[in-house]
Amino acid sequence: MSLTGGIRNDVTQLLPLLDKVPAAAGVVGQPRYRPDALLAGRGYDHDKYRRLLWARGIRPVIAERGTEHG
């Protein structure tokens, strides 16, 4: 867990948070260190963050701004 100032945008902590994800069970002898996908709200809807996630091998599933919920 990390703590930031009250005015700081949450998206600034996206990559540091991913870096702290512990290894998960995978194929024997090959633990997975990254999730397959990341689900996020509209606040993370920006091409920059989508590219950064794809570069880490993580499929971004991010709600798009200006679209209806659901």
Side-chain angles (χ1 to χ4, degrees):
M1 181 159 103
S2 61
L3 185 63
T4 62
I7 300 176
R8 193 115 185 242
N9 194 327
D10 290 343
V11 77
T12 62
Q13 298 303 305
L14 176 64
L15 296 179
L17 176 64
L18 285 175
D19 290 339
K20 293 179 182 179
V21 172
V27 178
V28 175
Q30 297 177 352
R32 291 179 32 214
Y33 288 95
R34 300 281 181 233
D36 291 329
L38 178 104
L39 283 69
R42 286 175 174 81
Y44 296 89
D45 182 25
H46 194 280
D47 289 339
K48 172 185 175 182
Y49 304 112
R50 292 179 195 277
R51 282 192 306 270
L52 290 171
L53 290 170
W54 278 120
R56 290 170 176 247
I58 302 170
R59 180 175 56 94
V61 181
I62 302 173
E64 295 181 8
R65 294 180 188 182
T67 60
E68 292 189 26
H69 292 270

